[in-house]
Amino acid sequence: MAKRLQARRLDGIDHNPWVEFVQLASEEADVVNLGQGFPDFSPPEFAVEAFQHAVSGDFMLNQYTKAFGYPPLTKILASFFGKLLGQEIDPLKNVLVTVGAYGALFTAFQALVDEGDEVIIIEPFFDCYEPMTLMAGGRPVFVSLKPSPTQKGEPDSSSNWQLDPTELASKFTSRTKAFILNTPNNPLGKVFSKEELELVASLCQQHDVVCISDEVYQWMVFDGFQHISIASLPGMWERTLTIGSAGKTFSVTGWKVGWVLGPDSLMKHLRTVHQNSVYHCATQGQAAVAQSFEREQLHFGRPSSYFVQLPQYIQRCRDHMIQSLQSMGFRPVTPQGSYFLITDISDFKNKMPDLPGAADEPYDRRFVKWMIKNKGLVAIPMSIFFSLPHQKFFDHYIRFCFVKDESTLRAMDQKLQKWKAELTP
Amino acid sequence: MFLAWERLCTLSCRPKFLKTVWASKILGLSTSAGEDSNPGWGTKIPPATQHGKKMSLRFKNAKRIEGLDSNIWIEFTKLAADPSVVNLGQGLPDISPPVYVKEELSKIAAIDNLNQYTRGFGHPSLVKALSCLYEKFYHNKINPNEEILVTVGAYGSLFNAIQGLIDEGDEVIVIVPFFDCYESMVRMAGATPVFVPLRCKPVDGKKCSSSDWTLDPQELASKFNSKTKAIILNTPHNPLGKVYTKEELQVIADLCIKYDTLCISDEVYEWLVYTGNKHFKIATFPGMWERTITIGSAGKTFSVTGWKLGWSIGPKHLIKHLQTVQQNTVYTCATPLQEALAQAFWIDIKRMDDPECYFNSLPKELEVKRDRMVHLLESVGLKSIVPDGGYFIIADVSMLDVDLLDMKDSNEPYDYKFVKWMIKNKKLSAIPVSAFCNAETKSQFEKFVRFCFIKKDSTLDAAEEIIKAWSRQNS
C-alpha cells in the first residue's frame, strides 16, 4: 500500500522495551527470571478452586455477562472497597471491571485525556503511563522522586525517595487534566505517606485535576507501613479513579481482571470507552475473582487472610534478596512495598563501563542484557521507567522482582555465588 | 513452595498486620458520590479548596467519546433481563458449549503456571493452532507471531484495527445494516463513516432470502475516494445473515485495490453457513492479503461468548500496528482461556471433514433451528428474510399492525417501540434492526426486528407458544 498505514495516535509509542527483554529472557536457557512482575508460585488454593468452580459449574458462565462487570463481582468490590474507602459505593455507578489494571488505565486515559491536556507523571513510573498519555493526545509532564543522600553504610530505602513540594506544585498548570499516582510504586516500592498524599490531594483540588490512582500493589506493604488510598482523603473521592488488580491481589496475573472505582460523574465516561473498546470482560475470571473476594471478606483482618499472609511471605522474599544482592556488591534500595526493588549498580558501572550495546543505549540496559547472557539472571533496567531526557541520570539502577518461589530465590543465590566466585581470582 | 502459606494460618503467629485505614477516622464524614459535596464540613481540608469549589467543568469527557455514550445493548439487555421474558434478542447462545471445550477449560484451571501472564500478542499454543487452522484457507503460510494477534473478543480486534489504522479525517465505508459498534468505533477514531445500504431485490414467488439483499456496484463505487482508508465487511452478515458471494466480494476487492483501501473483514460467523452457501475469505482474493485484516471469534466459533477471545489475521505490516495498540491498551489476554481455546482447536483441526467436528455440526444444528424459526414466523403471517448464514433472522413486523398507543409519544423508530412493547406485553424479546442503521437509513429498516435462534429447543418452544397465542389473538 502506498498510503501511510498507521494512525498518528501510534506515533512514538510503537516501541515497547518489555518485548525485547521478555524475548531475551525466554531465549536464553537456564536463566533465573527476576524481571517481569509475576509470581512463579501457585495462587492460593481458594482462588484456584474459585476458578475451577467458575469453569465447571453453570454452563451459562461461558456466555457474556453484564458489560460493566459480572454482578456478583461488582457487588463484592463495592462492599469491600466501600468499607476501605469510607464511601458508599454503588456497584452499577461506581465500579467498572476491566481487562486487568492495564485495561483500567487505558480506559481512564481515553475517557478523560484530550488533545493538549497535560498529565503529571511521577518518575520513576510504570512505563505504560507515558505512551497511554501520548495515545490520548496528552502531554506528559514529569516530576522525579529523588533520593536524599544516605548516611555512609546505611542502606537506601524507598521512603528516602521524595518529591520536592515546590517542584511538584510548579508542574500544575491550567492545562493539567490528570495526575497519575502509583502507590505502592513500581519500580521503586515507595509507599506514599499520608503527608505526601495530602500534598498531592491539595494540589489536585486547587487545580481541579483528576487523580488516577494505580493501587495494584495495595496489599504488598511491608515493615508496618500503611497503604493509604488517596480517594479516602477529604475532597478526593469525587475526583479520583482508584485502580485495582485481581492479578496482583490474588497472584493470578494471567486472569486479567482489574477494576476502577470512582464517582459516577467520571465513571460514566469510562463506561463509554469500555462499551466502545472491549465491551465485556471474560465472565469466568470475574466469577472466580468475586468468589475469592467473598472468601477474603470473611477472613479480613485475621491471620488467615491472604492479604496478611501474602505480604508476610513476600517480605521474607524481599529480605532474602536484599541480603543476597548485598553480599554481591549490589546496593539494593529497600522497598516499603510492591513486587520490586531497585539496586544501584554504580560499582559495576565503574568497573566495567564498556558493555556491548548501541552508542546511546543507557548503561543499565546494556548491563541487563550482559547479565542475562553471561550470568543467567534476568532483571529490568530502571531507565525504562524514566522519561527519555532523564534516563541518563538513572542508568545505574536495575529492578528485580522478588515475588518468587523459594526455589527461584535459591537458584538466584547459586547464580550470584558463581558470579562472585568469578570475580575473585 | 508458597503453598506453605496455608499452614501458616494455623500457626499462632501474630501478624504484623497493618491497621486497616478505616477512612471514617480520617474523614469524620463520608462524602457522597457526585458533584454536590460541600467543602465546609469542618474536617481537615487543605487550605486551597477554601477559595471556592471548582467542580466538574473540567471533568468533561474527552472529545473522542462525545455522543458515543448511548448503547443499544445496554438498554435492551436490561429490558430483556426479566427471567419471564423469552430472550431472542442479544446474540448469546443458551445452549451448552461442546463438552470437550468445557472439559479442556476445566483441566487447564488446575494447571498452576497458566495463571500468570502469557505472551502479549497471543499465547504461543493458541497462535500456533490458529496459524495451522487458517493456513488451510489462505494460499500462504501464516506466521503465528507476526501475522496473528489475539484480542479481547472480535470486538477487541475491531477496536485494535480501527485504532491502529484509522486516523482523524479518514473515511471508512460501512455497509448498512451494520453491527452497531462499527459506526461508534470509527467515530471514536475521529474518522467519518460513509454508509452504503444493502438493498432488497426480491425475486417474485421465491421466499425472501438474505441473498436478495445486495449492494449496488455503482452506488458502492461512488462511496470510494482518496480519503477512504478502509471498508468494513461483515460476512456472514449480522443482522441479515447474508453470505457474500464470490462475485460480490470481487466487486469490493476491485474497489479496494483501485483506491488503495484497507479491508477490515469481520468473519465471526464464518462457520455458520447453511446448505447451498459457501463462506469466502476476501483476504484470499488476488491483491487482498496485503490490505486485509480478517477477524474471528472464539465466542461464535465454540459458543463461548463469555471467553472474550478473538483474533486478527493479516500481513505483518498491518498486524504490527494492531500489536502496538494491544501493548498500549490491554497488553495481554487471559492465559487459561487461551490455552483451553488452543486445545479445543487442536481437537477440531484434526477432524475437519468429520461431521462431529463442531465447525460442521454446529451449522447443521442451527440450520434446523433456522428452518423452524422461518416456518414459525411464516405460520403467523410474518415475513422473514431467510438467512444464508449467521444465527439471526429478521422479520417484517409491520403487518402485525400492533397498536403501540402507549408508546406513541416516543421519538424512537417503529421497531424500537415495537420491541419494547413486545417485551412488555408478549414477554418475547428481539432487537430492532434500525439499531444497526445510521440515522439517515433508520426509516428504511424500522419495520424489521431481529431474532437470535442459537437457542435451546425449550427456548424456541416457549417463543413458539407466544407467537402462536399472539396470532390466535389477532385472528
Side-chain angles (χ1 to χ4, degrees):
Chain A
M1 273 191 72
K3 280 184 182 144
R4 174 196 154 106
L5 293 167
Q6 73 275 25
R8 285 187 296 272
R9 67 182 65 82
L10 302 191
D11 286 350
I13 66 170
D14 50 319
H15 175 65
N16 186 284
W18 294 101
V19 176
E20 189 182 8
F21 287 97
V22 168
Q23 183 137 355
L24 251 180
S26 64
E27 277 167 8
E28 293 290 324
D30 189 31
V31 289
V32 179
N33 193 349
L34 307 169
Q36 201 185 359
F38 61 88
D40 65 0
F41 47 75
S42 314
E45 245 175 61
F46 67 80
V48 174
E49 270 163 23
F51 192 70
Q52 284 175 323
H53 183 236
V55 306
S56 50
D58 176 8
F59 70 78
M60 284 308 288
L61 291 179
N62 287 293
Q63 306 307 333
Y64 294 132
T65 180
K66 293 280 172 294
F68 304 134
Y70 175 66
L73 178 56
T74 52
K75 183 159 177 258
I76 186 83
L77 288 171
S79 89
F80 195 95
F81 288 97
K83 288 202 195 79
L84 285 181
L85 298 177
Q87 184 67 42
E88 200 62 48
I89 297 184
D90 180 310
L92 294 177
K93 296 195 181 132
N94 307 127
V95 184
L96 176 67
V97 177
T98 54
V99 181
Y102 212 95
L105 286 161
F106 174 73
T107 307
F109 278 98
Q110 287 285 308
L112 301 170
V113 176
D114 237 328
E115 195 89 32
D117 284 346
E118 289 177 7
V119 176
I120 299 176
I121 300 174
I122 300 171
E123 296 188 287
F125 56 92
F126 180 52
D127 68 293
C128 79
Y129 302 158
E130 184 181 6
M132 284 189 183
T133 300
L134 293 172
M135 190 171 162
R139 198 174 87 78
V141 170
F142 299 100
V143 57
S144 285
L145 284 161
K146 294 191 190 86
S148 321
T150 47
Q151 298 282 50
K152 196 169 165 66
E154 272 288 303
D156 196 3
S157 151
S158 60
S159 56
N160 194 36
W161 290 58
Q162 282 153 11
L163 294 170
D164 177 303
T166 316
E167 189 191 356
L168 177 63
S170 76
K171 302 291 180 177
F172 283 78
T173 73
S174 58
R175 305 234 53 180
T176 310
K177 186 70 186 278
F179 184 99
I180 315 301
L181 178 67
N182 176 217
T183 179
N185 167 281
N186 170 11
L188 198 48
K190 178 181 177 65
V191 173
F192 283 75
S193 68
K194 183 147 168 272
E195 291 67 36
E196 288 169 318
L197 294 177
E198 281 172 343
L199 173 60
V200 170
S202 130
L203 286 164
C204 284
Q205 287 172 78
Q206 190 184 331
H207 296 273
D208 198 18
V209 164
V210 173
C211 181
I212 299 175
S213 187
D214 175 354
E215 303 185 10
V216 297
Y217 300 109
Q218 67 182 118
W219 305 110
M220 233 62 59
V221 182
F222 318 123
D223 302 328
F225 285 104
Q226 279 184 358
H227 168 75
I228 300 169
S229 289
I230 197 170
S232 64
L233 298 187
M236 288 308 285
W237 168 258
E238 58 252 39
R239 61 179 65 253
T240 306
L241 294 170
T242 305
I243 290 175
S245 156
K248 304 297 194 287
T249 296
F250 295 112
S251 309
V252 287
T253 60
W255 290 11
K256 289 295 292 186
V257 176
W259 53 84
V260 190
L261 308 167
D264 191 45
S265 55
L266 294 175
M267 295 299 290
K268 67 184 183 190
H269 302 314
L270 276 76
R271 291 194 290 266
T272 301
V273 174
H274 185 83
Q275 77 199 20
N276 286 295
S277 56
V278 296
Y279 194 35
H280 297 93
C281 295
T283 312
Q284 287 143 326
Q286 293 186 68
V289 174
Q291 193 176 316
S292 301
F293 263 112
E294 281 157 14
R295 186 264 180 203
E296 271 309 291
Q297 196 166 53
L298 294 173
H299 292 255
F300 194 71
R302 304 200 332 235
S304 52
S305 161
Y306 190 64
F307 301 163
V308 171
Q309 297 303 326
L310 181 63
Q312 279 184 348
Y313 172 76
I314 299 305
Q315 181 169 327
R316 287 198 295 277
C317 294
R318 177 200 70 166
D319 296 342
H320 177 150
M321 182 180 273
I322 286 177
Q323 221 175 14
S324 302
L325 290 173
Q326 278 171 340
S327 71
M328 252 306 289
F330 284 105
R331 283 185 284 137
V333 175
T334 305
Q336 298 156 280
S338 91
Y339 270 16
F340 310 102
L341 59 80
I342 63 166
T343 183
D344 190 325
I345 54 169
S346 301
D347 291 343
F348 291 92
K349 191 178 178 190
N350 293 332
K351 290 189 191 121
M352 28 179 214
D354 300 313
L355 289 177
D360 54 354
E361 194 175 2
Y363 181 79
D364 55 346
R365 297 184 202 208
R366 290 188 268 144
F367 182 85
V368 165
K369 288 182 194 171
W370 172 86
M371 189 173 70
I372 294 174
K373 286 200 177 86
N374 296 285
K375 302 299 171 191
L377 283 171
V378 185
I380 299 291
M382 171 106 142
S383 61
I384 75 171
F385 303 100
F386 279 88
S387 61
L388 194 56
H390 297 159
Q391 285 175 8
K392 56 179 181 282
F393 301 121
F394 293 93
D395 69 347
H396 55 286
Y397 289 100
I398 60 178
R399 185 196 84 170
F400 286 99
C401 173
F402 47 80
V403 179
K404 300 292 175 190
D405 189 79
E406 279 160 34
S407 59
T408 309
L409 297 177
R410 282 197 296 270
M412 167 194 75
D413 287 340
Q414 280 184 345
K415 297 283 186 197
L416 287 171
Q417 274 150 26
K418 186 160 176 272
W419 188 349
K420 192 170 182 182
E422 285 160 13
L423 285 176
T424 48
Chain B
M1 285 287 279
F2 187 57
L3 289 173
W5 82 269
E6 280 162 316
R7 278 186 262 127
L8 290 173
C9 297
T10 64
L11 296 176
S12 53
C13 56
R14 279 154 51 80
K16 256 203 263 178
F17 184 60
L18 322 158
K19 267 201 308 228
T20 313
V21 180
W22 295 99
S24 55
K25 288 188 185 149
I26 296 177
L27 282 180
L29 277 177
S30 54
T31 56
S32 59
E35 299 106 309
D36 304 312
S37 341
N38 187 313
W41 329 304
T43 48
K44 275 189 281 183
I45 298 176
T49 56
Q50 284 163 3
H51 293 296
K53 200 98 177 125
K54 284 186 289 180
M55 270 305 306
S56 336
L57 297 173
R58 298 214 306 131
F59 289 2
K60 202 169 149 39
N61 50 288
K63 291 192 204 69
R64 67 181 61 83
I65 54 171
E66 193 59 42
L68 303 186
D69 46 315
S70 73
N71 182 286
I72 168 123
W73 304 106
I74 311 291
E75 197 184 354
F76 281 91
T77 49
K78 219 188 335 183
L79 283 173
D82 176 351
S84 68
V85 173
V86 177
N87 192 351
L88 300 186
Q90 196 186 4
L92 177 148
D94 66 4
I95 58 176
S96 171
V99 168
Y100 57 91
V101 169
K102 291 189 289 183
E103 275 171 1
E104 286 307 320
L105 185 53
S106 226
K107 270 190 257 167
I108 272 134
I111 302 174
D112 250 356
N113 65 2
L114 292 175
N115 287 302
Q116 307 306 335
Y117 292 132
T118 183
R119 178 178 168 265
F121 303 145
H123 186 58
S125 62
L126 177 56
V127 293
K128 187 149 178 270
L130 287 167
S131 145
C132 183
L133 170 66
Y134 285 106
E135 274 173 1
K136 297 177 196 288
F137 300 96
Y138 290 84
H139 307 307
N140 39 290
K141 282 207 126 359
I142 301 174
N143 183 313
N145 293 329
E146 295 176 341
E147 296 175 333
I148 299 180
L149 174 67
V150 176
T151 55
V152 182
Y155 212 94
S157 268
L158 286 161
F159 183 75
N160 281 31
I162 291 170
Q163 286 284 309
L165 302 169
I166 308 300
D167 229 331
E168 242 180 81
D170 283 346
E171 289 182 11
V172 177
I173 296 175
V174 177
I175 299 167
V176 184
F178 52 90
F179 181 54
D180 69 302
C181 78
Y182 301 164
E183 180 182 1
S184 52
M185 285 190 184
V186 166
R187 291 198 191 281
M188 189 171 161
T192 306
V194 171
F195 299 101
V196 58
L198 285 161
R199 295 181 190 281
C200 183
K201 287 195 190 81
V203 178
D204 271 337
K206 253 188 83 209
K207 212 184 293 235
C208 195
S209 129
S210 58
S211 57
D212 298 331
W213 291 72
T214 55
L215 291 169
D216 177 296
Q218 274 163 326
E219 189 182 8
L220 177 63
S222 76
K223 306 290 180 178
F224 280 77
N225 61 51
S226 58
K227 285 163 82 178
T228 311
K229 188 70 185 280
I231 178 169
I232 302 177
L233 174 66
N234 177 216
T235 180
H237 182 268
N238 173 11
L240 281 177
K242 176 183 177 62
V243 176
Y244 285 72
T245 63
K246 200 152 175 244
E247 293 69 32
E248 288 172 317
L249 292 176
Q250 192 59 63
V251 169
I252 295 172
D254 290 343
L255 285 163
C256 286
I257 293 167
K258 180 175 177 188
Y259 286 90
D260 198 19
T261 295
L262 298 173
C263 181
I264 298 171
S265 188
D266 175 353
E267 302 185 10
V268 297
Y269 302 105
E270 59 185 309
W271 304 110
L272 304 183
V273 174
Y274 305 123
T275 311
N277 297 280
K278 187 168 167 5
H279 172 70
F280 292 97
K281 290 185 163 303
I282 200 171
T284 61
F285 287 39
M288 289 306 286
W289 166 256
E290 62 247 39
R291 60 183 68 255
T292 307
I293 297 284
T294 306
I295 293 173
S297 156
K300 308 298 194 275
T301 297
F302 286 109
S303 305
V304 288
T305 59
W307 288 26
K308 287 296 294 189
L309 287 173
W311 48 86
S312 290
I313 297 180
K316 179 178 174 181
H317 61 262
L318 294 180
I319 292 289
K320 73 178 184 193
H321 301 308
L322 280 70
Q323 289 175 335
T324 298
V325 176
Q326 181 97 330
Q327 76 200 22
N328 289 293
T329 54
V330 297
Y331 204 87
T332 179
C333 297
T335 314
L337 295 167
Q338 290 191 70
E339 177 62 30
L341 181 59
Q343 296 306 321
F345 267 122
W346 289 125
I347 290 172
D348 278 327
I349 286 171
K350 291 194 182 87
R351 51 178 189 177
M352 298 280 290
D353 295 325
D354 197 321
E356 288 287 298
C357 171
Y358 201 61
F359 310 155
N360 301 323
S361 66
L362 182 62
K364 286 260 168 330
E365 185 185 343
L366 290 181
E367 189 163 343
V368 172
K369 294 182 195 281
R370 176 199 72 168
D371 294 344
R372 181 181 175 181
M373 281 301 295
V374 171
H375 183 74
L376 171 62
L377 294 166
E378 214 171 60
S379 71
V380 298
L382 278 180
K383 205 172 121 191
S384 68
I385 295 169
V386 180
D388 291 325
Y391 50 56
F392 302 107
I393 180 166
I394 75 172
D396 181 337
V397 295
S398 60
M399 44 195 81
L400 285 177
D401 200 25
V402 164
D403 182 0
L404 300 176
L405 203 59
D406 55 343
M407 317 220 57
K408 72 172 178 3
D409 290 326
S410 161
N411 281 329
E412 290 175 324
Y414 180 83
D415 52 354
Y416 274 68
K417 290 192 275 200
F418 179 86
V419 168
K420 286 180 180 173
W421 176 90
M422 186 170 71
I423 292 174
K424 188 165 163 216
N425 296 284
K426 296 296 171 189
K427 300 289 184 194
L428 177 65
S429 79
I431 298 291
V433 172
S434 66
F436 301 92
C437 302
N438 58 311
E440 286 73 34
T441 51
K442 277 195 200 295
S443 53
Q444 289 170 37
F445 290 91
E446 66 176 331
K447 54 184 190 170
F448 293 105
V449 305
R450 185 196 81 170
F451 294 99
C452 172
F453 55 85
I454 183 164
K455 303 290 176 185
K456 55 189 194 277
D457 287 339
S458 57
T459 307
L460 296 178
D461 291 341
E464 180 164 350
E465 285 221 9
I466 291 171
I467 292 176
K468 290 214 156 115
W470 188 350
S471 132
R472 281 195 294 273
Q473 233 183 340
N474 286 352
S475 55

